[in-house]
Amino acid sequence: MKKNIEQARDRMKASGFKMTPKRLDLLAYLFEANRYVSAREVAEELRLSHPSLSYDTIYRNLNDFAEIEILETTELDGEMKYRAACQSGHHHHHLICRTCGKTETLDACPMQWVAPIKDSGFEVEDHKFEIYGRCAACQK
């Protein structure tokens, strides 16, 4: 986790953000959780050590960190969720548990089967592919 925090610190510095103790705790929580969590879950956790920390500050930091690609986002049941960005170094997608937010890496990419895009003249700049369900632990 220390390496992930150092990489996040470098990215923040390059983007003009300072690493404060509150931001460090926010990132440490997300790196440890290793699953998608809501801003409300983050707020509940961080208020234990930072009682004056507002929900708006947490939400703003989560969105700022997503913008500089320290965090990944997805929408589950109408709510934005956040997780530490994958450090795998290769292109992949995710299986996401709707119940607990746990993710598993899916190394297959469906873009190879989307041939009509190539013929349309449309230039793909990015894509996201996620499969939602329930993990084995949440099925019990």
Side-chain angles (χ1 to χ4, degrees):
M1 182 173 78
K2 186 176 179 180
K3 181 180 176 185
N4 292 337
I5 295 291
E6 287 302 317
Q7 289 174 339
R9 184 188 313 259
D10 292 345
R11 182 158 291 175
M12 288 172 62
K13 186 176 180 179
S15 301
F17 293 97
K18 292 181 181 178
M19 180 65 86
T20 65
K22 291 175 185 176
R23 286 178 172 160
L24 179 62
D25 288 350
L26 185 152
L27 291 172
Y29 172 71
L30 289 163
F31 283 118
E32 285 178 25
N34 196 28
R35 63 184 179 87
Y36 280 103
V37 297
S38 67
R40 193 159 316 286
E41 288 175 82
V42 174
E44 288 171 7
E45 178 66 26
L46 293 182
R47 283 198 184 123
L48 299 173
S49 56
H50 304 283
S52 65
L53 189 59
S54 75
Y55 178 80
D56 289 342
T57 298
I58 291 168
Y59 189 76
R60 185 175 52 254
N61 276 278
L62 290 169
N63 285 308
D64 287 344
F65 295 163
E67 181 140 335
I68 61 172
E69 299 179 350
I70 293 172
L71 303 180
E72 296 176 359
T73 62
T74 194
E75 188 176 320
L76 288 170
D77 301 323
E79 183 178 27
M80 190 61 70
K81 304 273 184 145
Y82 305 84
R83 75 182 295 271
C86 291
Q87 304 295 318
S88 67
H90 71 279
H91 181 75
H92 66 278
H93 298 282
H94 295 117
L95 302 173
I96 303 169
C97 179
R98 286 187 180 274
T99 304
C100 70
K102 177 183 172 190
T103 63
E104 291 185 36
T105 300
L106 179 64
D107 287 320
C109 180
M111 290 303 289
Q112 63 184 329
W113 298 297
V114 190
I117 290 176
K118 293 177 185 173
D119 301 332
S120 71
F122 184 83
E123 182 180 332
V124 176
E125 295 176 353
D126 196 9
H127 68 278
K128 188 174 186 177
F129 180 70
E130 300 170 332
I131 299 174
Y132 302 96
R134 287 187 305 146
C135 68
C138 289
Q139 291 177 44
K140 296 179 182 180

PDB file of all heavy atoms in Angstrom, residues 42-80:
ATOM      1  N   VAL A  42     -17.243   6.451   2.954  1.00  0.00           N
ATOM      2  CA  VAL A  42     -15.954   7.082   3.237  1.00  0.00           C
ATOM      3  C   VAL A  42     -16.129   8.086   4.369  1.00  0.00           C
ATOM      4  O   VAL A  42     -15.327   8.130   5.307  1.00  0.00           O
ATOM      5  CB  VAL A  42     -15.374   7.763   1.979  1.00  0.00           C
ATOM      6  CG1 VAL A  42     -14.108   8.541   2.314  1.00  0.00           C
ATOM      7  CG2 VAL A  42     -15.092   6.741   0.884  1.00  0.00           C
ATOM      8  N   ALA A  43     -17.199   8.880   4.315  1.00  0.00           N
ATOM      9  CA  ALA A  43     -17.455   9.884   5.349  1.00  0.00           C
ATOM     10  C   ALA A  43     -17.627   9.229   6.717  1.00  0.00           C
ATOM     11  O   ALA A  43     -17.064   9.703   7.717  1.00  0.00           O
ATOM     12  CB  ALA A  43     -18.694  10.700   4.994  1.00  0.00           C
ATOM     13  N   GLU A  44     -18.380   8.159   6.777  1.00  0.00           N
ATOM     14  CA  GLU A  44     -18.592   7.467   8.054  1.00  0.00           C
ATOM     15  C   GLU A  44     -17.272   6.959   8.626  1.00  0.00           C
ATOM     16  O   GLU A  44     -17.031   7.065   9.826  1.00  0.00           O
ATOM     17  CB  GLU A  44     -19.574   6.312   7.875  1.00  0.00           C
ATOM     18  CG  GLU A  44     -20.994   6.766   7.654  1.00  0.00           C
ATOM     19  CD  GLU A  44     -21.941   5.635   7.262  1.00  0.00           C
ATOM     20  OE1 GLU A  44     -21.526   4.453   7.292  1.00  0.00           O
ATOM     21  OE2 GLU A  44     -23.089   5.944   6.918  1.00  0.00           O
ATOM     22  N   GLU A  45     -16.418   6.431   7.774  1.00  0.00           N
ATOM     23  CA  GLU A  45     -15.129   5.908   8.229  1.00  0.00           C
ATOM     24  C   GLU A  45     -14.203   7.032   8.692  1.00  0.00           C
ATOM     25  O   GLU A  45     -13.584   6.952   9.750  1.00  0.00           O
ATOM     26  CB  GLU A  45     -14.460   5.104   7.111  1.00  0.00           C
ATOM     27  CG  GLU A  45     -13.112   4.555   7.452  1.00  0.00           C
ATOM     28  CD  GLU A  45     -13.128   3.494   8.541  1.00  0.00           C
ATOM     29  OE1 GLU A  45     -14.159   2.812   8.720  1.00  0.00           O
ATOM     30  OE2 GLU A  45     -12.104   3.366   9.243  1.00  0.00           O
ATOM     31  N   LEU A  46     -14.105   8.098   7.899  1.00  0.00           N
ATOM     32  CA  LEU A  46     -13.157   9.162   8.213  1.00  0.00           C
ATOM     33  C   LEU A  46     -13.603  10.049   9.370  1.00  0.00           C
ATOM     34  O   LEU A  46     -12.775  10.670  10.028  1.00  0.00           O
ATOM     35  CB  LEU A  46     -12.882  10.012   6.976  1.00  0.00           C
ATOM     36  CG  LEU A  46     -12.129   9.309   5.850  1.00  0.00           C
ATOM     37  CD1 LEU A  46     -11.863  10.264   4.708  1.00  0.00           C
ATOM     38  CD2 LEU A  46     -10.833   8.703   6.342  1.00  0.00           C
ATOM     39  N   ARG A  47     -14.893  10.102   9.617  1.00  0.00           N
ATOM     40  CA  ARG A  47     -15.368  10.927  10.738  1.00  0.00           C
ATOM     41  C   ARG A  47     -14.924  10.370  12.080  1.00  0.00           C
ATOM     42  O   ARG A  47     -14.921  11.082  13.076  1.00  0.00           O
ATOM     43  CB  ARG A  47     -16.881  11.075  10.676  1.00  0.00           C
ATOM     44  CG  ARG A  47     -17.272  12.084   9.623  1.00  0.00           C
ATOM     45  CD  ARG A  47     -18.668  12.600   9.790  1.00  0.00           C
ATOM     46  NE  ARG A  47     -18.979  13.493   8.693  1.00  0.00           N
ATOM     47  CZ  ARG A  47     -20.001  13.343   7.864  1.00  0.00           C
ATOM     48  NH1 ARG A  47     -20.837  12.340   8.024  1.00  0.00           N
ATOM     49  NH2 ARG A  47     -20.208  14.201   6.893  1.00  0.00           N
ATOM     50  N   LEU A  48     -14.514   9.104  12.128  1.00  0.00           N
ATOM     51  CA  LEU A  48     -14.000   8.539  13.366  1.00  0.00           C
ATOM     52  C   LEU A  48     -12.696   9.224  13.768  1.00  0.00           C
ATOM     53  O   LEU A  48     -12.451   9.484  14.940  1.00  0.00           O
ATOM     54  CB  LEU A  48     -13.780   7.031  13.217  1.00  0.00           C
ATOM     55  CG  LEU A  48     -15.022   6.197  12.906  1.00  0.00           C
ATOM     56  CD1 LEU A  48     -14.626   4.753  12.613  1.00  0.00           C
ATOM     57  CD2 LEU A  48     -16.020   6.276  14.052  1.00  0.00           C
ATOM     58  N   SER A  49     -11.855   9.513  12.782  1.00  0.00           N
ATOM     59  CA  SER A  49     -10.570  10.156  13.070  1.00  0.00           C
ATOM     60  C   SER A  49     -10.563  11.654  12.761  1.00  0.00           C
ATOM     61  O   SER A  49      -9.680  12.372  13.224  1.00  0.00           O
ATOM     62  CB  SER A  49      -9.446   9.468  12.293  1.00  0.00           C
ATOM     63  OG  SER A  49      -9.721   9.473  10.915  1.00  0.00           O
ATOM     64  N   HIS A  50     -11.534  12.117  11.983  1.00  0.00           N
ATOM     65  CA  HIS A  50     -11.622  13.538  11.601  1.00  0.00           C
ATOM     66  C   HIS A  50     -13.075  13.996  11.749  1.00  0.00           C
ATOM     67  O   HIS A  50     -13.783  14.168  10.745  1.00  0.00           O
ATOM     68  CB  HIS A  50     -11.156  13.740  10.153  1.00  0.00           C
ATOM     69  CG  HIS A  50      -9.778  13.248   9.865  1.00  0.00           C
ATOM     70  ND1 HIS A  50      -8.641  13.937  10.245  1.00  0.00           N
ATOM     71  CD2 HIS A  50      -9.343  12.113   9.257  1.00  0.00           C
ATOM     72  CE1 HIS A  50      -7.575  13.262   9.866  1.00  0.00           C
ATOM     73  NE2 HIS A  50      -7.979  12.154   9.265  1.00  0.00           N
ATOM     74  N   PRO A  51     -13.558  14.221  12.974  1.00  0.00           N
ATOM     75  CA  PRO A  51     -14.972  14.535  13.205  1.00  0.00           C
ATOM     76  C   PRO A  51     -15.482  15.785  12.488  1.00  0.00           C
ATOM     77  O   PRO A  51     -16.660  15.872  12.160  1.00  0.00           O
ATOM     78  CB  PRO A  51     -15.070  14.729  14.721  1.00  0.00           C
ATOM     79  CG  PRO A  51     -13.819  14.200  15.291  1.00  0.00           C
ATOM     80  CD  PRO A  51     -12.798  14.147  14.210  1.00  0.00           C
ATOM     81  N   SER A  52     -14.611  16.741  12.211  1.00  0.00           N
ATOM     82  CA  SER A  52     -15.058  17.984  11.571  1.00  0.00           C
ATOM     83  C   SER A  52     -15.067  17.902  10.041  1.00  0.00           C
ATOM     84  O   SER A  52     -15.459  18.854   9.372  1.00  0.00           O
ATOM     85  CB  SER A  52     -14.176  19.149  12.013  1.00  0.00           C
ATOM     86  OG  SER A  52     -12.849  18.950  11.555  1.00  0.00           O
ATOM     87  N   LEU A  53     -14.653  16.790   9.496  1.00  0.00           N
ATOM     88  CA  LEU A  53     -14.571  16.633   8.039  1.00  0.00           C
ATOM     89  C   LEU A  53     -15.969  16.576   7.433  1.00  0.00           C
ATOM     90  O   LEU A  53     -16.785  15.732   7.801  1.00  0.00           O
ATOM     91  CB  LEU A  53     -13.795  15.356   7.706  1.00  0.00           C
ATOM     92  CG  LEU A  53     -13.408  15.110   6.256  1.00  0.00           C
ATOM     93  CD1 LEU A  53     -12.547  16.245   5.725  1.00  0.00           C
ATOM     94  CD2 LEU A  53     -12.657  13.795   6.144  1.00  0.00           C
ATOM     95  N   SER A  54     -16.253  17.478   6.519  1.00  0.00           N
ATOM     96  CA  SER A  54     -17.598  17.552   5.941  1.00  0.00           C
ATOM     97  C   SER A  54     -17.768  16.569   4.780  1.00  0.00           C
ATOM     98  O   SER A  54     -16.806  16.207   4.094  1.00  0.00           O
ATOM     99  CB  SER A  54     -17.901  18.970   5.453  1.00  0.00           C
ATOM    100  OG  SER A  54     -17.208  19.238   4.246  1.00  0.00           O
ATOM    101  N   TYR A  55     -19.010  16.197   4.553  1.00  0.00           N
ATOM    102  CA  TYR A  55     -19.348  15.322   3.438  1.00  0.00           C
ATOM    103  C   TYR A  55     -18.972  15.984   2.115  1.00  0.00           C
ATOM    104  O   TYR A  55     -18.460  15.322   1.217  1.00  0.00           O
ATOM    105  CB  TYR A  55     -20.850  15.000   3.479  1.00  0.00           C
ATOM    106  CG  TYR A  55     -21.298  14.136   2.334  1.00  0.00           C
ATOM    107  CD1 TYR A  55     -21.086  12.760   2.355  1.00  0.00           C
ATOM    108  CD2 TYR A  55     -21.915  14.689   1.212  1.00  0.00           C
ATOM    109  CE1 TYR A  55     -21.476  11.965   1.306  1.00  0.00           C
ATOM    110  CE2 TYR A  55     -22.317  13.895   0.161  1.00  0.00           C
ATOM    111  CZ  TYR A  55     -22.099  12.538   0.202  1.00  0.00           C
ATOM    112  OH  TYR A  55     -22.485  11.752  -0.840  1.00  0.00           O
ATOM    113  N   ASP A  56     -19.207  17.287   2.006  1.00  0.00           N
ATOM    114  CA  ASP A  56     -18.873  18.000   0.767  1.00  0.00           C
ATOM    115  C   ASP A  56     -17.384  17.936   0.465  1.00  0.00           C
ATOM    116  O   ASP A  56     -16.983  17.765  -0.687  1.00  0.00           O
ATOM    117  CB  ASP A  56     -19.314  19.466   0.853  1.00  0.00           C
ATOM    118  CG  ASP A  56     -20.816  19.631   0.790  1.00  0.00           C
ATOM    119  OD1 ASP A  56     -21.503  18.685   0.337  1.00  0.00           O
ATOM    120  OD2 ASP A  56     -21.309  20.693   1.188  1.00  0.00           O
ATOM    121  N   THR A  57     -16.552  18.056   1.496  1.00  0.00           N
ATOM    122  CA  THR A  57     -15.099  17.978   1.300  1.00  0.00           C
ATOM    123  C   THR A  57     -14.702  16.593   0.825  1.00  0.00           C
ATOM    124  O   THR A  57     -13.873  16.446  -0.087  1.00  0.00           O
ATOM    125  CB  THR A  57     -14.364  18.332   2.608  1.00  0.00           C
ATOM    126  OG1 THR A  57     -14.695  19.676   2.956  1.00  0.00           O
ATOM    127  CG2 THR A  57     -12.857  18.192   2.454  1.00  0.00           C
ATOM    128  N   ILE A  58     -15.284  15.582   1.419  1.00  0.00           N
ATOM    129  CA  ILE A  58     -14.987  14.208   1.008  1.00  0.00           C
ATOM    130  C   ILE A  58     -15.409  13.992  -0.435  1.00  0.00           C
ATOM    131  O   ILE A  58     -14.647  13.486  -1.258  1.00  0.00           O
ATOM    132  CB  ILE A  58     -15.678  13.203   1.949  1.00  0.00           C
ATOM    133  CG1 ILE A  58     -15.013  13.252   3.320  1.00  0.00           C
ATOM    134  CG2 ILE A  58     -15.639  11.791   1.367  1.00  0.00           C
ATOM    135  CD1 ILE A  58     -15.764  12.534   4.400  1.00  0.00           C
ATOM    136  N   TYR A  59     -16.625  14.393  -0.767  1.00  0.00           N
ATOM    137  CA  TYR A  59     -17.152  14.220  -2.114  1.00  0.00           C
ATOM    138  C   TYR A  59     -16.289  14.963  -3.140  1.00  0.00           C
ATOM    139  O   TYR A  59     -15.946  14.420  -4.190  1.00  0.00           O
ATOM    140  CB  TYR A  59     -18.602  14.711  -2.161  1.00  0.00           C
ATOM    141  CG  TYR A  59     -19.301  14.391  -3.441  1.00  0.00           C
ATOM    142  CD1 TYR A  59     -19.757  13.104  -3.701  1.00  0.00           C
ATOM    143  CD2 TYR A  59     -19.512  15.372  -4.400  1.00  0.00           C
ATOM    144  CE1 TYR A  59     -20.407  12.803  -4.887  1.00  0.00           C
ATOM    145  CE2 TYR A  59     -20.163  15.078  -5.584  1.00  0.00           C
ATOM    146  CZ  TYR A  59     -20.600  13.792  -5.820  1.00  0.00           C
ATOM    147  OH  TYR A  59     -21.226  13.497  -6.988  1.00  0.00           O
ATOM    148  N   ARG A  60     -15.909  16.186  -2.820  1.00  0.00           N
ATOM    149  CA  ARG A  60     -15.072  16.976  -3.731  1.00  0.00           C
ATOM    150  C   ARG A  60     -13.713  16.306  -3.942  1.00  0.00           C
ATOM    151  O   ARG A  60     -13.225  16.202  -5.065  1.00  0.00           O
ATOM    152  CB  ARG A  60     -14.908  18.398  -3.178  1.00  0.00           C
ATOM    153  CG  ARG A  60     -14.166  19.333  -4.112  1.00  0.00           C
ATOM    154  CD  ARG A  60     -14.119  20.776  -3.604  1.00  0.00           C
ATOM    155  NE  ARG A  60     -13.637  20.896  -2.237  1.00  0.00           N
ATOM    156  CZ  ARG A  60     -14.398  21.163  -1.179  1.00  0.00           C
ATOM    157  NH1 ARG A  60     -15.697  21.332  -1.313  1.00  0.00           N
ATOM    158  NH2 ARG A  60     -13.865  21.261   0.030  1.00  0.00           N
ATOM    159  N   ASN A  61     -13.093  15.810  -2.856  1.00  0.00           N
ATOM    160  CA  ASN A  61     -11.800  15.135  -2.981  1.00  0.00           C
ATOM    161  C   ASN A  61     -11.915  13.846  -3.779  1.00  0.00           C
ATOM    162  O   ASN A  61     -11.052  13.546  -4.611  1.00  0.00           O
ATOM    163  CB  ASN A  61     -11.203  14.856  -1.596  1.00  0.00           C
ATOM    164  CG  ASN A  61     -10.470  16.056  -1.051  1.00  0.00           C
ATOM    165  OD1 ASN A  61      -9.325  16.298  -1.398  1.00  0.00           O
ATOM    166  ND2 ASN A  61     -11.137  16.816  -0.197  1.00  0.00           N
ATOM    167  N   LEU A  62     -12.968  13.080  -3.553  1.00  0.00           N
ATOM    168  CA  LEU A  62     -13.157  11.850  -4.325  1.00  0.00           C
ATOM    169  C   LEU A  62     -13.244  12.161  -5.815  1.00  0.00           C
ATOM    170  O   LEU A  62     -12.617  11.492  -6.639  1.00  0.00           O
ATOM    171  CB  LEU A  62     -14.414  11.115  -3.853  1.00  0.00           C
ATOM    172  CG  LEU A  62     -14.333  10.480  -2.472  1.00  0.00           C
ATOM    173  CD1 LEU A  62     -15.721  10.013  -2.020  1.00  0.00           C
ATOM    174  CD2 LEU A  62     -13.348   9.323  -2.456  1.00  0.00           C
ATOM    175  N   ASN A  63     -14.009  13.176  -6.159  1.00  0.00           N
ATOM    176  CA  ASN A  63     -14.143  13.544  -7.572  1.00  0.00           C
ATOM    177  C   ASN A  63     -12.849  14.108  -8.146  1.00  0.00           C
ATOM    178  O   ASN A  63     -12.494  13.808  -9.288  1.00  0.00           O
ATOM    179  CB  ASN A  63     -15.309  14.513  -7.761  1.00  0.00           C
ATOM    180  CG  ASN A  63     -16.624  13.803  -7.662  1.00  0.00           C
ATOM    181  OD1 ASN A  63     -16.853  12.807  -8.338  1.00  0.00           O
ATOM    182  ND2 ASN A  63     -17.499  14.272  -6.806  1.00  0.00           N
ATOM    183  N   ASP A  64     -12.133  14.918  -7.366  1.00  0.00           N
ATOM    184  CA  ASP A  64     -10.835  15.427  -7.827  1.00  0.00           C
ATOM    185  C   ASP A  64      -9.865  14.277  -8.080  1.00  0.00           C
ATOM    186  O   ASP A  64      -9.164  14.248  -9.084  1.00  0.00           O
ATOM    187  CB  ASP A  64     -10.224  16.380  -6.790  1.00  0.00           C
ATOM    188  CG  ASP A  64     -10.925  17.727  -6.730  1.00  0.00           C
ATOM    189  OD1 ASP A  64     -11.681  18.074  -7.656  1.00  0.00           O
ATOM    190  OD2 ASP A  64     -10.715  18.443  -5.717  1.00  0.00           O
ATOM    191  N   PHE A  65      -9.830  13.313  -7.159  1.00  0.00           N
ATOM    192  CA  PHE A  65      -8.915  12.183  -7.309  1.00  0.00           C
ATOM    193  C   PHE A  65      -9.308  11.288  -8.479  1.00  0.00           C
ATOM    194  O   PHE A  65      -8.452  10.705  -9.131  1.00  0.00           O
ATOM    195  CB  PHE A  65      -8.832  11.382  -6.022  1.00  0.00           C
ATOM    196  CG  PHE A  65      -8.219  12.140  -4.868  1.00  0.00           C
ATOM    197  CD1 PHE A  65      -8.395  11.698  -3.574  1.00  0.00           C
ATOM    198  CD2 PHE A  65      -7.478  13.288  -5.071  1.00  0.00           C
ATOM    199  CE1 PHE A  65      -7.834  12.389  -2.505  1.00  0.00           C
ATOM    200  CE2 PHE A  65      -6.913  13.998  -4.013  1.00  0.00           C
ATOM    201  CZ  PHE A  65      -7.089  13.538  -2.729  1.00  0.00           C
ATOM    202  N   ALA A  66     -10.588  11.187  -8.755  1.00  0.00           N
ATOM    203  CA  ALA A  66     -11.032  10.428  -9.932  1.00  0.00           C
ATOM    204  C   ALA A  66     -10.595  11.147 -11.210  1.00  0.00           C
ATOM    205  O   ALA A  66     -10.169  10.508 -12.169  1.00  0.00           O
ATOM    206  CB  ALA A  66     -12.540  10.233  -9.901  1.00  0.00           C
ATOM    207  N   GLU A  67     -10.682  12.468 -11.196  1.00  0.00           N
ATOM    208  CA  GLU A  67     -10.299  13.238 -12.375  1.00  0.00           C
ATOM    209  C   GLU A  67      -8.818  13.082 -12.710  1.00  0.00           C
ATOM    210  O   GLU A  67      -8.437  13.058 -13.883  1.00  0.00           O
ATOM    211  CB  GLU A  67     -10.630  14.716 -12.161  1.00  0.00           C
ATOM    212  CG  GLU A  67     -10.284  15.543 -13.358  1.00  0.00           C
ATOM    213  CD  GLU A  67     -11.316  16.606 -13.657  1.00  0.00           C
ATOM    214  OE1 GLU A  67     -12.473  16.443 -13.284  1.00  0.00           O
ATOM    215  OE2 GLU A  67     -10.928  17.577 -14.291  1.00  0.00           O
ATOM    216  N   ILE A  68      -7.966  12.948 -11.693  1.00  0.00           N
ATOM    217  CA  ILE A  68      -6.529  12.775 -11.959  1.00  0.00           C
ATOM    218  C   ILE A  68      -6.132  11.292 -11.936  1.00  0.00           C
ATOM    219  O   ILE A  68      -4.961  10.963 -11.865  1.00  0.00           O
ATOM    220  CB  ILE A  68      -5.665  13.616 -11.000  1.00  0.00           C
ATOM    221  CG1 ILE A  68      -5.859  13.225  -9.540  1.00  0.00           C
ATOM    222  CG2 ILE A  68      -5.900  15.100 -11.218  1.00  0.00           C
ATOM    223  CD1 ILE A  68      -4.888  13.908  -8.576  1.00  0.00           C
ATOM    224  N   GLU A  69      -7.140  10.432 -11.993  1.00  0.00           N
ATOM    225  CA  GLU A  69      -6.997   8.981 -12.173  1.00  0.00           C
ATOM    226  C   GLU A  69      -6.300   8.260 -11.012  1.00  0.00           C
ATOM    227  O   GLU A  69      -5.671   7.227 -11.207  1.00  0.00           O
ATOM    228  CB  GLU A  69      -6.318   8.672 -13.509  1.00  0.00           C
ATOM    229  CG  GLU A  69      -7.128   9.171 -14.686  1.00  0.00           C
ATOM    230  CD  GLU A  69      -6.479   8.918 -16.022  1.00  0.00           C
ATOM    231  OE1 GLU A  69      -5.300   8.523 -16.066  1.00  0.00           O
ATOM    232  OE2 GLU A  69      -7.165   9.113 -17.036  1.00  0.00           O
ATOM    233  N   ILE A  70      -6.462   8.794  -9.809  1.00  0.00           N
ATOM    234  CA  ILE A  70      -6.041   8.065  -8.618  1.00  0.00           C
ATOM    235  C   ILE A  70      -7.149   7.087  -8.233  1.00  0.00           C
ATOM    236  O   ILE A  70      -6.892   6.013  -7.711  1.00  0.00           O
ATOM    237  CB  ILE A  70      -5.738   9.024  -7.449  1.00  0.00           C
ATOM    238  CG1 ILE A  70      -4.514   9.883  -7.764  1.00  0.00           C
ATOM    239  CG2 ILE A  70      -5.531   8.259  -6.141  1.00  0.00           C
ATOM    240  CD1 ILE A  70      -4.256  10.980  -6.752  1.00  0.00           C
ATOM    241  N   LEU A  71      -8.383   7.486  -8.523  1.00  0.00           N
ATOM    242  CA  LEU A  71      -9.551   6.657  -8.232  1.00  0.00           C
ATOM    243  C   LEU A  71     -10.295   6.317  -9.507  1.00  0.00           C
ATOM    244  O   LEU A  71     -10.222   7.051 -10.493  1.00  0.00           O
ATOM    245  CB  LEU A  71     -10.517   7.396  -7.288  1.00  0.00           C
ATOM    246  CG  LEU A  71      -9.974   7.863  -5.957  1.00  0.00           C
ATOM    247  CD1 LEU A  71     -11.067   8.579  -5.171  1.00  0.00           C
ATOM    248  CD2 LEU A  71      -9.409   6.711  -5.155  1.00  0.00           C
ATOM    249  N   GLU A  72     -11.021   5.210  -9.466  1.00  0.00           N
ATOM    250  CA  GLU A  72     -11.943   4.821 -10.537  1.00  0.00           C
ATOM    251  C   GLU A  72     -13.356   5.004 -10.000  1.00  0.00           C
ATOM    252  O   GLU A  72     -13.581   4.920  -8.792  1.00  0.00           O
ATOM    253  CB  GLU A  72     -11.727   3.364 -10.914  1.00  0.00           C
ATOM    254  CG  GLU A  72     -10.367   3.080 -11.490  1.00  0.00           C
ATOM    255  CD  GLU A  72     -10.127   1.606 -11.773  1.00  0.00           C
ATOM    256  OE1 GLU A  72     -11.007   0.771 -11.506  1.00  0.00           O
ATOM    257  OE2 GLU A  72      -9.028   1.290 -12.237  1.00  0.00           O
ATOM    258  N   THR A  73     -14.280   5.251 -10.898  1.00  0.00           N
ATOM    259  CA  THR A  73     -15.675   5.421 -10.487  1.00  0.00           C
ATOM    260  C   THR A  73     -16.586   4.484 -11.263  1.00  0.00           C
ATOM    261  O   THR A  73     -16.243   4.044 -12.365  1.00  0.00           O
ATOM    262  CB  THR A  73     -16.162   6.861 -10.738  1.00  0.00           C
ATOM    263  OG1 THR A  73     -16.102   7.129 -12.148  1.00  0.00           O
ATOM    264  CG2 THR A  73     -15.338   7.871  -9.980  1.00  0.00           C
ATOM    265  N   THR A  74     -17.717   4.207 -10.670  1.00  0.00           N
ATOM    266  CA  THR A  74     -18.787   3.497 -11.349  1.00  0.00           C
ATOM    267  C   THR A  74     -20.085   3.922 -10.684  1.00  0.00           C
ATOM    268  O   THR A  74     -20.075   4.481  -9.594  1.00  0.00           O
ATOM    269  CB  THR A  74     -18.613   1.962 -11.291  1.00  0.00           C
ATOM    270  OG1 THR A  74     -19.495   1.362 -12.238  1.00  0.00           O
ATOM    271  CG2 THR A  74     -18.868   1.410  -9.908  1.00  0.00           C
ATOM    272  N   GLU A  75     -21.184   3.678 -11.343  1.00  0.00           N
ATOM    273  CA  GLU A  75     -22.478   3.979 -10.754  1.00  0.00           C
ATOM    274  C   GLU A  75     -23.182   2.669 -10.457  1.00  0.00           C
ATOM    275  O   GLU A  75     -23.363   1.841 -11.337  1.00  0.00           O
ATOM    276  CB  GLU A  75     -23.327   4.827 -11.706  1.00  0.00           C
ATOM    277  CG  GLU A  75     -24.589   5.317 -11.063  1.00  0.00           C
ATOM    278  CD  GLU A  75     -25.389   6.231 -11.965  1.00  0.00           C
ATOM    279  OE1 GLU A  75     -24.781   7.060 -12.659  1.00  0.00           O
ATOM    280  OE2 GLU A  75     -26.619   6.102 -11.975  1.00  0.00           O
ATOM    281  N   LEU A  76     -23.527   2.479  -9.190  1.00  0.00           N
ATOM    282  CA  LEU A  76     -24.246   1.282  -8.761  1.00  0.00           C
ATOM    283  C   LEU A  76     -25.563   1.713  -8.142  1.00  0.00           C
ATOM    284  O   LEU A  76     -25.572   2.502  -7.185  1.00  0.00           O
ATOM    285  CB  LEU A  76     -23.441   0.486  -7.729  1.00  0.00           C
ATOM    286  CG  LEU A  76     -22.226  -0.267  -8.241  1.00  0.00           C
ATOM    287  CD1 LEU A  76     -21.404  -0.801  -7.084  1.00  0.00           C
ATOM    288  CD2 LEU A  76     -22.656  -1.416  -9.129  1.00  0.00           C
ATOM    289  N   ASP A  77     -26.657   1.242  -8.696  1.00  0.00           N
ATOM    290  CA  ASP A  77     -27.982   1.540  -8.169  1.00  0.00           C
ATOM    291  C   ASP A  77     -28.204   3.037  -7.983  1.00  0.00           C
ATOM    292  O   ASP A  77     -28.718   3.487  -6.958  1.00  0.00           O
ATOM    293  CB  ASP A  77     -28.222   0.785  -6.858  1.00  0.00           C
ATOM    294  CG  ASP A  77     -28.112  -0.722  -7.055  1.00  0.00           C
ATOM    295  OD1 ASP A  77     -28.549  -1.212  -8.117  1.00  0.00           O
ATOM    296  OD2 ASP A  77     -27.585  -1.401  -6.160  1.00  0.00           O
ATOM    297  N   GLY A  78     -27.783   3.827  -8.956  1.00  0.00           N
ATOM    298  CA  GLY A  78     -28.019   5.262  -8.943  1.00  0.00           C
ATOM    299  C   GLY A  78     -27.093   6.063  -8.054  1.00  0.00           C
ATOM    300  O   GLY A  78     -27.306   7.252  -7.855  1.00  0.00           O
ATOM    301  N   GLU A  79     -26.051   5.444  -7.507  1.00  0.00           N
ATOM    302  CA  GLU A  79     -25.133   6.143  -6.621  1.00  0.00           C
ATOM    303  C   GLU A  79     -23.706   5.986  -7.138  1.00  0.00           C
ATOM    304  O   GLU A  79     -23.297   4.898  -7.528  1.00  0.00           O
ATOM    305  CB  GLU A  79     -25.236   5.572  -5.204  1.00  0.00           C
ATOM    306  CG  GLU A  79     -24.368   6.279  -4.197  1.00  0.00           C
ATOM    307  CD  GLU A  79     -24.542   5.724  -2.793  1.00  0.00           C
ATOM    308  OE1 GLU A  79     -24.905   4.537  -2.633  1.00  0.00           O
ATOM    309  OE2 GLU A  79     -24.298   6.483  -1.850  1.00  0.00           O
ATOM    310  N   MET A  80     -22.959   7.088  -7.144  1.00  0.00           N
ATOM    311  CA  MET A  80     -21.572   7.048  -7.573  1.00  0.00           C
ATOM    312  C   MET A  80     -20.747   6.319  -6.515  1.00  0.00           C
ATOM    313  O   MET A  80     -20.885   6.562  -5.326  1.00  0.00           O
ATOM    314  CB  MET A  80     -21.030   8.464  -7.772  1.00  0.00           C
ATOM    315  CG  MET A  80     -19.682   8.497  -8.438  1.00  0.00           C
ATOM    316  SD  MET A  80     -19.642   7.777 -10.088  1.00  0.00           S
ATOM    317  CE  MET A  80     -20.573   8.950 -11.019  1.00  0.00           C
TER     318      MET A  80
END
